[in-house]
Amino acid sequence: MPLIEWPKNTSEPDQWNQLSVLIKQLEPSQKLWLSGYLAASAESNMPNQIAQASVPAVESQLTILYGSQTGNSESVAIQLKETAEATGLQTELFSLADFTVKNLAKKSYITLVISTHGEGEAPDDAELFYEQLFSKKAPELTHLNYSVLALGDSSYELYCQTGKEIDDRLADLGATRFNDRIDCDVDFEAEANLWVNAVVKRLDSEFKERVSQDNITTLPLNNHLTTPTQIAISRKNPYAAEILNIQKITGHGSIKNTFHIELAIDPEIIQYQPGDSLGIIAQNHEHSVNQLLAHWQVSGDELYQFKGQSADLKTLLIEYVEISQISKPFVQFLAKHIDDSDLKSLATSHQLYEAFCHGNQLYDLLQKFDSSRSVSIQDTLDHLKQITPRLYSIASAQSVYEDEVHLTVNLEDATNSGALGLASGLLCEQAEVGDCVSIFIESNHNFRLPDDPQTNVIMIGPGTGIAPFRAFLQQRKQQQAAGENWLFFGNPHFSTDFLYQTEWLKLQKLNLLTGLDVAFSRDQVEKVYVQNKLLTKAQELWKWIENGAHLYLCGDANKMAKDVEQALLTIITEQGNLDTDAAKAYLKALKRANKYQKDVY
Amino acid sequence: MPTNTKRMFIEMNQINNTSQPKPLEAVEHIKDDSNYLRGTIADELLNEVTGSVIESDTQLTKFHGIYQQDDRDLRKERSRQKLEPLYSFMIRARVPGGICQPDQWQAIDDMADRYANGSIRITTRQAFQFHGVIKNKLKATVAAINQHMMDTIAACGDVNRNVMCSANPEQSDLHQEVYQTAQQISDHLTPRTSAYHEIWLNGDKVITEPKTDHEPIYGKTYLPRKFKTAVVIPPDNDVDVLAHDLGFIAIIREQKLLGFNVTVGGGMGTTHGDPKTFPLLAHTLGFCTPQQVLSVAENIVKIQRDHGDRTNRKHARFKYTVDDHGIDWVREQLFERMGFNLEPPQNANFTHTGDRFGWGKNQDGSWNYTLYVANGRVKDDAELKLKSALRAIADIHQGHFRLTANQNLVIALVASQQKSQIEKLLIQYGLTKPASSTRLLSMACVAFPTCTLAMAEAERYLPDLITKIESIQEQHHIAHRGIMIRMTGCPNGCARPFMAEVGFVGKALGRYNMYLGGNKQGTRLNQLFDENIDEKQIIKHLDTLIGHFAQQGKDHEDFGDFVIRQGYVKKVNHGIEVNIKTT
């Protein structure tokens, strides 16, 4: 029974209409933000409650925090919020970008959904929080109860690293872990569900206990501004987009196979911003599945279990099981059951594992190490992951291509057994113009053009990292943004690999692209990369940065992003006359001010 | 100043005053504004985001021997790929008189692999061409060419181009003397701008003010159009001397070089469908002594500089200046500038255009081997490793090489003791395999995929067409009677198609205009026989003509003479008749 009555809708019909129109245009995440914003502004009109707010802890409120690079953490955090509220729990939701360690002093229950990106780094929006948490000045947190959900990718060496570190650190600072951490791989949904349900169940019982002790009832927060709209497109409810164009854009004789893909969308249903990613949900190719069935010497009609569902093996393999990527846990599992020294080194050396993954898929792994089929099919299935959607940075701006979405997709060479990448193989090779693919939009609020069109923009996007900058520049052109634009691009060869060259040349002629610097690594004896180009333009870059330009980096996380960041630090050190620490602090400050944003993978 | 000339000046001025003066060609402004051929070439070379240079600089790079081209086979594909055309550059190295030392050949051979598409093109004007040189290799290539005592300046552009010289004389000492004349003309007419050194050879940028650079012969706008000079030693007419703006015909009496007959106003280039354009054969102006050659050359160039038409590039060649004003006017102009008249021309007879293949002995006992190079293309392919073969020969050869005007190669001055060594290599690489006389006489320009002017295939197509013509000749049992066939991809006429017994000039992909009636002495233009025809029609025509020739041709009668005698075409007396169809 609620103590406080939630106010009724007292808006005038006119106001309500305007509000409905506005709300229809919002993305789910925007709606969420708006709800928080309105709640906060309503509160700020009630001075009494401000005083109350400084009093420690609404003890039975759950604070849900997330640090997200691609939006996955955010989506789980939202899921937790919805589930918790449905159970009647009171919650609040913050991005770690908007939350400091000091704020923890006022919280009793927090959950953290945090991803790890690149080589064990915290996501951009969590960087400051992470730094504060690990600083010597971090406060004691004995009053705090917490649980961590760590998202990661087991194909990286430092899997779920940030989540693990934060989980340990909170305990070190005296906080109590009310629910064990769960580490999720790229197919995070099932594990995340487990965690969400466990957290909610745990809190529900704890809070109820408390209620009976303290005679306080929680606020149900389940009736804010919802309007009846169609079910939003999401990874669970994807959209079937027709393929309009499949065009290879690396030239004759290139060592790369990069494609420009155009998909048709209904702008009423699908909306995206420059910087967003597109998720592609694909099924495994029948040929690869047949290879596996042949390896197991079965027809595929046999019934098997996979993640709690039962179906014939062929269906499971085509629709549900990840077979085009090899997970590290699976290699480790296999190594436990098969006595093979090569397999053992693969399971222990991340470098070897990475090298093997390049050009091999599940079938190749089993062929190589389990040709005698010593591990049962069911056992194998139990240790495989679910197919995850593949994300691509969107290469178009919806302000220009209202009913289209464009991608820049690299098609890796086929494996020895002839298999291609799941989504890249589908888009570039198997699908034909006119076919449909299942898509959804993955928002990326950490990769956005500056709000002020006057702001200058520096974009560093070698390889397919160029994609979001095509969207950015289309947007800037459409906006007639007064700010200058400077693009850095690199690839192996000028003559064949200058992605979207004619478009850049046109923008250069229009004076929209004021800077265009290119590095073609293999066109001369000494390799030249974008970071080298950055260094040769150090002085001018520094001038731009000092004048408030926004820096964007997109592309390969493993090597390129690190090298570029090192180059940026060098520039800041030399041009700004700073020592290494000060330069690092400078770059961090840029990040915090959203003036340095990354979309690396 | 003689009064009649003065009067003419006044008349010309009056004409200019009364009628609206025609505006100058855009290229004239580009030259004028270029600061002696600099333009913005140096900056454009540093621009990394495009493989091209800006439009105005493409006009100027020609003067430096560099033509911007693109792979036309890939144009459409690349446009869809959002890539600019696959730009590359053709670099032409001047080889005055076509003489090249073995170490120069080695260097050219290396450069083809290092900087270009792996092949060397011997041109119809005795120069080397590299194709497929990308922008960031241009400088290194030009520098390497210069390092080996060749250059590229004035290999293209509105200036005097590579000076040609007969490659086939049997008298090697006289050839040497005449060759030196060609070399001297070349040196004398080379532009003096320091831009070439500055841009390509990292020369000091001493010239900052346009005033301080100067061109004593050309002036800052150079010539209205390209200008071609050839020197020939009769009775050979391998250079087709009458097809050039300026020609010097060596007059040799009793083993002595007396001097040269001077010819002016020849040229091939025309434009499809423009009757005001036509090929012309040169007129003989008179005779000059060896000492007068440079003065004559310089002043002929200056006449063209001052009187060539700078308002219309299709009417800007010296041949039109001569044709418009008449040969007497040229003589007057020359007299005015030199202060003396040329003597009347001496007797000179040509018996032979084309090359003499195989071994030939020089008077000093050394040997020459003339090698057939299909369309001048030196490359290695599955069938023939011509490039490797010539490299192997260059590695041991102690004489020199001569590029011929028919795109072939003379391995010249082979000492008798080395002859067998060279011969062994020729046999080893399969270069001595016989080719039909028709094939040996054939010539095609580069055309697709690199030449921007090409409307139809030439180099890539003619060898196949010749194979078909050979079988027609075999069917009619006249395989031994060589027919001179030349093909170009456009009417600019680089392979001098309007002098061939059978000329094909491209109109569109797979379509050609067919000309008949040139002669094997290089003294007659041919005439249009059929227009815009495809291979089927070409074969049909040739089957009829060759069949008729087999039955009715006289002994020793050439095919070109036969088709005129039979009335298939008329004998052309003036170039304007070339594009008039008789039948």
Side-chain angles (χ1 to χ4, degrees):
Chain A
M1 207 196 289
L3 285 182
I4 303 169
E5 190 102 356
W6 190 254
K8 295 245 161 35
N9 183 0
T10 56
S11 56
E12 298 292 317
D14 205 33
Q15 287 179 316
W16 178 245
N17 283 343
Q18 284 182 16
L19 206 53
S20 317
V21 169
L22 174 70
I23 289 163
K24 270 185 198 164
Q25 295 168 357
L26 297 179
E27 296 174 42
S29 55
Q30 288 175 312
K31 288 178 190 161
L32 209 67
W33 169 84
L34 188 64
S35 70
Y37 174 82
L38 292 176
S41 69
E43 263 181 38
S44 69
N45 290 331
M46 296 180 227
N48 289 339
Q49 287 188 355
I50 285 180
Q52 274 177 16
S54 62
V55 175
V58 180
E59 286 194 339
S60 52
Q61 173 167 305
L62 173 63
T63 303
I64 301 167
L65 303 172
Y66 65 89
S68 196
Q69 193 72 27
T70 60
N72 288 342
S73 299
E74 187 183 358
S75 69
V76 176
I78 291 167
Q79 189 194 338
L80 173 60
K81 182 177 168 68
E82 284 166 357
T83 312
E85 286 174 0
T87 329
L89 297 174
Q90 189 179 354
T91 66
E92 55 181 0
L93 180 74
F94 291 103
S95 158
L96 283 173
D98 308 320
F99 197 87
T100 64
V101 169
K102 258 191 188 161
N103 298 140
L104 287 175
K106 298 168 197 163
K107 308 295 174 193
S108 301
Y109 286 89
I110 65 159
T111 56
L112 270 143
V113 187
I114 188 140
S115 63
T116 298
H117 77 111
E119 297 292 302
E121 289 154 41
D124 290 344
D125 55 2
E127 207 178 278
L128 180 60
F129 178 84
Y130 179 90
E131 204 179 288
Q132 293 168 343
L133 193 67
F134 283 84
S135 87
K136 283 179 197 158
K137 292 179 201 156
E140 274 205 351
L141 298 171
T142 46
H143 68 285
L144 189 69
N145 299 287
Y146 75 97
S147 178
V148 172
L149 181 76
L151 300 186
D153 180 344
S154 62
S155 64
Y156 285 87
E157 191 167 9
L158 298 170
Y159 171 53
C160 288
Q161 183 68 13
T162 306
K164 288 174 186 170
E165 285 174 4
I166 289 178
D167 190 39
D168 291 345
R169 179 65 177 167
L170 288 170
D172 289 348
L173 293 172
T176 310
R177 191 183 288 117
F178 72 83
N179 194 70
D180 281 348
R181 187 189 79 239
I182 290 184
D183 296 337
C184 302
D185 210 339
V186 282
D187 58 343
F188 62 91
E189 286 96 340
E191 304 282 326
N193 263 333
L194 285 179
W195 179 80
V196 165
N197 292 333
V199 163
V200 170
K201 202 175 155 196
R202 190 64 181 257
L203 289 181
D204 193 36
S205 61
E206 275 200 28
F207 286 5
K208 270 181 187 149
E209 243 170 67
R210 205 172 291 251
V211 168
S212 58
Q213 284 167 9
D214 304 349
N215 199 19
I216 293 174
T217 310
T218 55
L219 273 177
L221 260 179
N222 53 5
N223 58 347
H224 53 238
L225 309 168
T226 47
T227 49
T229 51
Q230 61 212 108
I231 305 163
I233 293 300
S234 68
R235 61 174 67 204
K236 288 198 181 107
N237 179 36
Y239 175 87
E242 186 190 336
I243 301 177
L244 295 174
N245 188 12
I246 304 171
Q247 175 62 54
K248 191 179 169 200
I249 53 170
T250 41
H252 198 74
S254 174
I255 53 172
K256 292 215 157 194
N257 280 304
T258 307
F259 287 77
H260 175 73
I261 309 283
E262 295 176 0
L263 304 172
I265 50 165
D266 180 347
E268 295 285 317
I269 301 173
I270 298 267
Q271 293 97 31
Y272 64 90
Q273 296 290 316
D276 283 347
S277 294
L278 190 81
I280 304 274
I281 296 171
Q283 296 191 336
N284 287 312
H285 200 247
E286 191 164 358
H287 175 72
S288 303
V289 169
N290 287 340
Q291 280 182 323
L292 273 173
L293 294 175
H295 165 79
W296 280 321
Q297 301 186 343
V298 291
S299 71
D301 298 333
E302 305 80 359
L303 277 184
Y304 279 94
Q305 301 283 324
F306 182 69
K307 308 271 182 217
Q309 56 191 322
S310 181
D312 67 273
L313 184 57
K314 188 158 186 175
T315 304
L316 288 177
L317 289 175
I318 285 187
E319 293 182 16
Y320 301 104
V321 188
E322 177 62 81
I323 64 170
S324 65
Q325 287 178 345
I326 300 168
S327 81
K328 206 161 153 188
F330 184 75
V331 175
Q332 287 161 348
F333 156 76
L334 217 54
K336 263 187 224 158
H337 290 79
I338 296 164
D339 187 27
D340 184 305
S341 60
D342 282 354
L343 182 58
K344 289 221 159 26
S345 10
L346 216 57
T348 47
S349 156
H350 184 74
Q351 250 184 334
L352 289 178
Y353 161 75
E354 263 202 344
F356 185 81
C357 286
H358 199 78
N360 285 297
Q361 298 189 354
L362 179 66
Y363 170 75
D364 308 284
L365 181 76
L366 293 179
Q367 274 285 95
K368 191 163 172 157
F369 296 110
D370 193 22
S371 53
S372 58
R373 295 176 299 282
S374 58
V375 182
S376 76
I377 296 176
Q378 187 58 58
D379 219 4
T380 305
L381 289 178
D382 289 346
H383 290 86
L384 290 172
K385 294 185 198 172
Q386 211 166 338
I387 298 180
T388 49
R390 305 298 200 254
L391 294 179
Y392 292 95
S393 307
I394 293 174
S396 53
Q398 203 167 15
S399 58
V400 179
Y401 294 94
E402 191 193 8
D403 51 5
E404 290 178 22
V405 56
H406 300 174
L407 302 177
T408 314
V409 180
N410 210 29
L411 179 67
E412 296 291 341
D413 292 341
T415 61
N416 292 330
S417 49
L420 295 167
L422 181 72
S424 59
L426 173 71
L427 291 171
C428 307
E429 193 81 26
Q430 290 139 6
E432 283 173 18
V433 168
D435 290 354
C436 282
V437 287
S438 297
I439 63 159
F440 60 92
I441 301 293
E442 186 91 1
S443 297
N444 186 355
H445 301 297
N446 298 316
F447 208 73
R448 286 285 184 258
L449 277 168
D451 294 333
D452 182 356
Q454 311 255 12
T455 307
N456 293 343
V457 163
I458 300 163
M459 296 159 283
I460 306 160
T464 52
I466 197 76
F469 302 133
R470 185 170 179 265
F472 275 22
L473 286 164
Q474 286 174 3
Q475 181 85 350
R476 296 271 275 187
K477 181 165 178 263
Q478 186 70 15
Q479 288 177 336
Q480 298 181 306
E484 293 189 73
N485 303 290
W486 190 353
L487 181 65
F488 286 85
F489 175 74
N491 235 355
H493 293 291
F494 167 79
S495 60
T496 54
D497 309 329
F498 194 170
L499 307 182
Y500 301 110
Q501 180 190 19
T502 49
E503 296 188 3
W504 310 137
L505 294 181
K506 263 181 220 151
L507 293 181
Q508 202 182 29
K509 268 202 185 130
L510 293 173
N511 239 344
L512 190 94
L513 200 51
T514 34
L516 178 57
D517 281 274
V518 289
F520 293 99
S521 56
R522 303 196 193 185
D523 277 347
Q524 57 283 306
V525 184
E526 279 201 21
K527 297 212 166 150
V528 176
Y529 298 102
V530 276
Q531 58 266 27
N532 305 106
K533 286 285 161 183
L534 291 172
L535 290 171
T536 60
K537 295 288 169 104
Q539 205 176 351
E540 210 183 334
L541 274 171
W542 177 247
K543 222 186 272 172
W544 278 54
I545 295 168
E546 282 278 276
N547 286 332
H550 282 210
L551 264 168
Y552 298 89
L553 173 62
C554 182
D556 166 62
N558 275 337
K559 182 124 180 45
M560 184 280 292
K562 281 184 194 163
D563 292 340
V564 164
E565 196 146 304
Q566 189 49 55
L568 291 174
L569 284 173
T570 306
I571 291 166
I572 295 166
T573 310
E574 287 173 2
Q575 300 294 321
N577 234 335
L578 299 170
D579 64 24
T580 316
D581 287 341
K584 280 184 183 161
Y586 186 96
L587 196 60
K588 274 201 186 115
L590 286 182
K591 271 190 202 170
R592 266 169 231 153
N594 285 329
K595 288 181 173 181
Y596 174 35
Q597 302 185 12
K598 290 192 285 187
D599 175 13
V600 295
Y601 37 84
Chain B
M1 192 184 275
T3 49
N4 57 344
T5 315
K6 203 171 184 175
R7 196 180 315 124
M8 210 168 66
F9 264 114
I10 293 161
E11 278 169 16
M12 278 177 65
N13 284 336
Q14 281 170 344
I15 290 165
N16 284 345
N17 287 340
T18 49
S19 65
Q20 191 73 14
K22 276 167 61 181
L24 291 177
E25 282 273 1
V27 179
E28 292 301 321
H29 296 294
I30 293 171
K31 287 187 274 189
D32 201 9
D33 297 339
S34 74
N35 187 13
Y36 292 94
L37 308 180
R38 283 172 179 78
T40 56
I41 296 171
D43 291 335
E44 284 294 289
L45 290 178
L46 297 174
N47 181 354
E48 293 178 311
V49 299
T50 171
S52 67
V53 298
I54 58 165
E55 172 67 22
S56 58
D57 284 337
T58 62
Q59 296 298 334
L60 297 173
T61 58
K62 292 179 187 175
F63 290 80
H64 301 259
I66 294 163
Y67 253 85
Q68 181 173 304
Q69 305 185 323
D70 71 274
D71 190 330
R72 297 179 61 183
D73 289 348
L74 294 177
R75 256 187 208 176
K76 267 192 193 153
E77 177 183 316
R78 286 180 65 91
S79 154
R80 283 197 302 270
Q81 289 170 332
K82 302 175 190 293
L83 294 166
E84 70 177 11
L86 186 57
Y87 290 111
S88 67
F89 294 81
M90 180 274 276
I91 300 185
R92 191 179 288 157
R94 289 199 305 178
V95 187
I99 290 191
C100 160
Q101 301 302 322
D103 65 322
Q104 290 177 316
W105 185 278
Q106 289 170 325
I108 289 285
D109 181 74
D110 286 340
M111 285 179 232
D113 294 333
R114 193 175 309 152
Y115 303 122
N117 64 358
S119 79
I120 304 161
R121 186 66 151 71
I122 299 170
T123 77
T124 56
R125 299 201 72 255
Q126 296 177 299
F128 284 122
Q129 269 176 206
F130 293 125
H131 292 268
V133 180
I134 58 171
K135 191 167 80 174
N136 70 10
K137 289 184 178 174
L138 275 179
K139 237 178 132 159
T141 314
V142 174
I145 290 169
N146 279 269
Q147 197 190 328
H148 291 92
M149 311 303 286
M150 292 169 278
D151 62 24
T152 66
I153 188 170
C156 332
D158 300 338
V159 280
N160 180 58
R161 308 273 189 94
N162 194 38
V163 176
M164 296 175 69
C165 180
S166 286
N168 295 306
E170 286 126 17
Q171 297 160 312
S172 48
D173 48 345
L174 266 173
H175 173 264
Q176 188 59 23
E177 199 177 343
V178 173
Y179 160 72
Q180 272 165 12
T181 305
Q183 175 81 60
Q184 283 160 8
I185 298 168
S186 173
D187 290 346
H188 191 71
L189 297 180
T190 297
R192 298 283 181 263
T193 174
S194 52
Y196 184 77
H197 268 71
E198 188 182 296
I199 294 170
W200 306 105
L201 307 173
N202 291 324
D204 291 334
K205 212 168 183 169
V206 283
I207 309 303
T208 47
E209 289 283 308
K211 285 176 236 162
T212 51
D213 220 336
H214 76 298
E215 289 286 5
I217 295 176
Y218 294 111
K220 64 189 287 201
T221 50
Y222 297 82
L223 295 182
R225 201 72 168 79
K226 61 187 168 188
F227 192 90
K228 297 176 175 180
T229 304
V231 183
V232 71
I233 307 172
D236 282 354
N237 187 15
D238 55 339
V239 299
D240 284 326
V241 70
L242 300 182
H244 300 265
D245 295 280
L246 175 60
F248 291 94
I249 302 168
I251 302 298
I252 294 165
R253 301 285 184 260
E254 291 158 4
Q255 308 287 330
K256 276 199 67 176
L257 177 67
L258 299 185
F260 299 89
N261 281 355
V262 180
T263 62
V264 292
M268 291 284 108
T270 67
T271 303
H272 282 311
D274 183 348
K276 289 179 185 159
T277 68
F278 35 83
L280 282 167
L281 289 187
H283 299 268
T284 305
L285 203 58
F287 172 86
C288 76
T289 65
Q291 291 73 34
Q292 294 168 339
V293 166
L294 293 186
S295 175
V296 169
E298 177 181 327
N299 285 295
I300 292 288
V301 163
K302 285 177 170 169
I303 292 168
Q304 165 65 354
R305 177 195 67 191
D306 297 341
H307 297 282
D309 185 353
R310 291 180 188 264
T311 66
N312 178 8
R313 287 183 72 77
K314 287 177 184 165
H315 187 254
R317 286 287 297 273
F318 188 44
K319 65 179 176 182
Y320 298 113
T321 316
V322 174
D323 197 53
D324 290 349
H325 291 91
I327 190 74
D328 288 336
W329 172 86
V330 181
R331 289 193 181 104
E332 281 170 28
Q333 281 288 321
L334 199 59
F335 173 80
E336 195 157 305
R337 288 163 196 265
M338 297 199 306
F340 63 89
N341 274 315
L342 296 182
E343 288 172 37
Q346 307 248 4
N347 240 356
N349 274 321
F350 295 121
T351 60
H352 185 264
T353 182
D355 297 327
R356 300 168 198 276
F357 295 96
W359 287 109
K361 195 170 186 179
N362 296 313
Q363 280 186 334
D364 65 359
S366 66
W367 294 80
N368 300 333
Y369 186 88
T370 303
L371 177 70
Y372 168 68
V373 180
N375 299 319
R377 182 67 69 181
V378 178
K379 63 177 181 188
D380 282 355
D381 60 30
E383 285 152 43
L384 191 68
K385 304 266 174 286
L386 179 59
K387 183 164 171 291
S388 298
L390 292 174
R391 176 57 188 256
I393 290 168
D395 287 344
I396 61 161
H397 182 37
Q398 285 162 9
H400 62 233
F401 293 98
R402 287 180 206 155
L403 316 183
T404 82
N406 302 294
Q407 309 175 327
N408 297 309
L409 188 68
V410 184
I411 305 161
L413 305 185
V414 177
S416 55
Q417 57 270 30
Q418 223 194 4
K419 185 175 173 242
S420 63
Q421 247 183 307
I422 301 279
E423 180 140 306
K424 217 176 118 190
L425 285 170
L426 290 169
I427 293 165
Q428 184 193 321
Y429 282 95
L431 302 186
T432 51
K433 281 182 198 149
S436 74
S437 44
T438 294
R439 191 177 294 277
L440 292 173
L441 286 167
S442 70
M443 193 150 77
C445 71
V446 176
F448 279 100
T450 53
C451 181
T452 49
L453 303 170
M455 301 168 183
E457 297 280 356
E459 180 186 321
R460 296 197 296 194
Y461 170 55
L462 184 61
D464 293 341
L465 183 62
I466 295 281
T467 305
K468 287 171 181 153
I469 296 169
E470 281 168 349
S471 74
I472 294 174
Q473 285 188 266
E474 275 160 27
Q475 280 163 26
H476 295 290
H477 311 291
I478 52 164
H480 60 288
R481 299 187 74 169
I483 301 170
M484 189 196 356
I485 298 171
R486 294 175 178 177
M487 173 178 280
T488 56
C490 82
N492 282 291
C494 288
R496 302 188 286 277
F498 302 112
M499 305 194 75
E501 290 180 288
V502 182
F504 294 103
V505 176
K507 282 213 83 173
L509 274 175
R511 296 276 175 174
Y512 298 86
N513 283 358
M514 181 172 172
Y515 295 81
L516 294 177
N519 67 10
K520 287 206 178 79
Q521 293 73 44
T523 55
R524 188 171 68 219
L525 293 167
N526 53 22
Q527 192 175 47
L528 183 62
F529 175 67
D530 203 355
E531 262 181 296
N532 209 24
I533 55 174
D534 63 11
E535 185 181 81
K536 220 171 122 191
Q537 291 162 294
I538 290 171
I539 296 295
K540 200 173 153 226
H541 280 319
L542 283 175
D543 191 45
T544 309
L545 291 164
I546 290 171
H548 194 191
F549 182 48
Q551 286 171 0
Q552 304 281 320
K554 294 179 188 164
D555 289 349
H556 307 296
E557 185 178 32
D558 284 335
F559 183 76
D561 299 331
F562 171 79
V563 290
I564 290 172
R565 182 166 65 81
Q566 293 294 335
Y568 287 108
V569 288
K570 283 197 179 130
K571 184 181 173 210
V572 166
N573 294 308
H574 184 276
I576 206 156
E577 299 155 24
V578 165
N579 275 307
I580 296 168
K581 221 164 100 179
T582 306
T583 50

